[in-house]
């Protein structure tokens, strides 16, 4: 199985969140850690994700909630990063909470990699209409999960095996040689990222 980098949202994804479950049960899955889960800083969070991508080129990104915006921002800001694809689960709208205000202004334009947005029709953090529009704007496929809340523990999602199937279907649709097509130039990160 290919490497998977798991990117949680605000407050992280502690057990029994499905992201924690995946990181604990899949040998090839790694959780991207942030220094401060409670007070997210867009630039710092992007740097942490970019640093993990540099250590694991070609990995698939699986993001949840605010983590989705981090990945989208990173792909728009650094289009040369080497990832195989991204599964964007229940993206959060920064307008829903003052804690997310630093992320205001949703990233626009194609992400440039194979992408799937998994959205719920009753997600309190982003309307289904808005998630559908973002998927189209990002050039991503849309998976309608029906009435599934924020696709987290509170909405009854434990290990969430369906999410693994979505990830595997994303990777199966592309020939292996396409996985590294985005690598065109070295990524320049701020000093001290790889300490």
């Amino acid at each position: 199985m290919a490497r998977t980098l798991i990117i949680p949202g605000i407050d992280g994804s502690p057990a029994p969140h499905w992201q924690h479950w995946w990181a604990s049960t899949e040998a090839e899955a790694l959780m991207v850690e942030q220094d401060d889960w409670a007070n997210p800083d867009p630039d710092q969070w992007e740097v942490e994700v970019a640093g993990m991508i540099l250590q694991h080129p070609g990995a698939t990104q699986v993001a949840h909630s605010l983590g989705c915006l981090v990945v989208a921002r990173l792909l728009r800001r650094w289009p040369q990063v080497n990832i195989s694809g991204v599964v964007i689960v229940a993206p959060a709208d920064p307008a829903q909470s003052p804690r997310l205000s630093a992320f205001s202004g949703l990233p626009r334009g194609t992400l440039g990699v194979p992408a799937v947005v998994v959205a719920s029709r009753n997600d309190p953090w982003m309307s289904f209409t808005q998630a559908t529009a973002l998927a189209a704007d990002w050039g991503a496929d849309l998976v309608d999960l029906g009435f599934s809340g924020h696709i987290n523990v509170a909405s009854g999602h434990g290990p969430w095996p369906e999410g693994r199937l979505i990830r595997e279907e994303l990777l199966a649709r592309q020939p292996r040689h396409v996985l590294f097509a985005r690598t065109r130039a070295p990524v320049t990160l701020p000093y001290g990222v790889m300490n």
Side-chain angles (χ1 to χ4, degrees):
M1 177 190 298
R3 176 73 73 191
T4 297
L5 297 181
I6 298 172
I7 299 106
I10 197 163
D11 298 326
S13 293
H17 196 287
W18 59 267
Q19 286 189 309
H20 182 273
W21 183 271
W22 289 17
S24 299
T25 60
E26 291 184 9
E28 295 299 316
L30 295 172
M31 186 85 71
V32 176
E33 296 292 338
Q34 298 292 347
D35 287 334
D36 189 348
W37 287 113
N39 301 293
D41 175 85
D43 293 332
Q44 184 58 42
W45 279 35
E46 283 177 38
V47 164
E48 291 297 333
V49 174
M52 287 294 283
I53 291 170
L54 288 175
Q55 292 176 54
H56 305 283
T60 303
Q61 315 298 296
V62 178
H64 181 259
S65 194
L66 185 60
C68 301
L69 301 187
V70 174
V71 172
R73 287 170 53 100
L74 186 140
L75 289 170
R76 299 292 302 139
R77 189 174 188 182
W78 294 327
Q80 69 272 29
V81 296
N82 181 2
I83 70 171
S84 61
V86 60
V87 180
I88 297 167
V89 183
D93 178 0
Q96 296 298 320
S97 169
R99 293 179 68 202
L100 309 185
S101 63
F103 288 82
S104 64
L106 294 169
R108 297 292 183 187
T110 183
L111 299 181
V113 298
V116 175
V117 172
V118 182
S120 165
R121 291 182 174 268
N122 63 336
D123 189 336
W125 287 94
M126 180 175 284
S127 72
F128 186 74
T129 300
Q130 189 176 17
T132 300
L134 272 182
D137 198 38
W138 289 343
D141 293 335
L142 177 69
V143 174
D144 179 354
L145 223 56
F147 295 90
S148 298
H150 195 47
I151 312 171
N152 59 6
V153 175
S155 60
H157 292 83
W160 196 43
E162 298 85 0
R164 290 180 178 179
L165 293 175
I166 292 167
R167 177 193 57 194
E168 297 312 314
E169 287 173 10
L170 173 72
L171 294 176
R173 288 195 316 239
Q174 52 191 312
R176 182 106 179 119
H177 69 276
V178 172
L179 296 180
F180 303 100
R182 287 178 56 92
T183 305
R184 291 186 182 38
V187 176
T188 303
L189 295 175
Y191 175 76
V193 170
M194 299 301 289
N195 289 344

